[in-house]
Amino acid sequence: MADGVSAEVVRAVIADDQALVRTGFGMILAADGIEVTAEAADGAEAVAAVLRTRPDVVLMDIRMPGMDGIEATRRILAEDSAGEIRVIILTTYDLDHYVYAALTAGASGFLLKDVTPEHLVAAVRLVRSGDALLAPAITRRLIERFAHREAARPASPHRDLSGLTPRELEVLRLLATGLSNAELAERLFLSPTTVKTHVGRILSKLELRDRVQAVVLAYESGLITPGGPAESAQ
């Protein structure tokens, strides 16, 4: 991908079992210059369409006949050896267990279907740029409702955090509480650029797709726990 080329066309696949939703989202994206490479009415079609057209971003419904959007997301990202495809989960259901399942499957964002056209376009471009679409409020709610449930399971053994510096561990702990880069910078008395660099190194060292996966990993690995001391980091 060409860095700094804002005119580069973003390519998207829309997966939803309602034709009207696919058409509406497609029109919104096309009006902003985002190319819709394919549409899919179920998870299996979505996987096939993504592997065939290799889009930048997938808008993925959760509840679809046959294979649902969560399983389709897992399969797409398992096949994405280059790690360049991003998935945004779309649903009419503001239910936290869907959010958590989507994020652990590797999705980079979550939106309700009543999103405004402007926010939909901004979300696609944000995720395409390599950032993650997860509002701090959603992160905190996930922590409160699900992290304690995950803590009952054995800590995830597949990530070694020993390669992180003390500062990077501190950033990861605070990131996992739902702080944005700007909030991290303020808390740690660092510049936003320095914080972004730290976050990038954390993702690289842990081989994570984006900061959403870093949040999930921080809790599943036991680095921090709900109600733990992460908030007290200086």
Side-chain angles (χ1 to χ4, degrees), residues 133-226:
L133 182 72
L134 185 59
I138 293 180
T139 305
R140 294 179 183 121
R141 191 172 57 183
L142 283 169
I143 291 166
E144 291 301 317
R145 294 204 40 196
F146 288 93
H148 72 280
R149 191 175 307 174
E150 293 300 312
R153 293 164 33 183
S156 186
H158 64 288
R159 291 288 192 273
D160 181 6
L161 303 183
S162 64
L164 300 183
T165 67
R167 175 63 95 181
E168 288 165 351
L169 283 170
E170 184 179 28
V171 170
L172 179 56
R173 288 190 185 98
L174 291 174
L175 184 156
T177 68
L179 298 186
S180 65
N181 278 3
E183 291 170 327
L184 284 167
E186 182 178 356
R187 177 73 67 89
L188 298 172
F189 303 102
L190 299 172
S191 72
T193 299
T194 300
V195 168
K196 185 174 182 180
T197 297
H198 282 311
V199 172
R201 287 175 178 166
I202 290 167
L203 300 183
S204 177
K205 287 181 178 181
L206 298 179
E207 300 181 345
L208 299 174
R209 182 178 295 267
D210 53 41
R211 63 190 293 131
V212 171
Q213 290 191 326
V215 171
V216 173
L217 174 63
Y219 282 88
E220 291 191 337
S221 67
L223 177 64
I224 58 174
T225 57

Side-chain angles (χ1 to χ4, degrees), residues 71-85:
E71 179 59 26
T73 296
R74 290 194 188 99
R75 296 193 185 191
I76 287 169
L77 298 182
E79 294 288 340
D80 180 28
S81 58
E84 295 181 347
I85 298 173

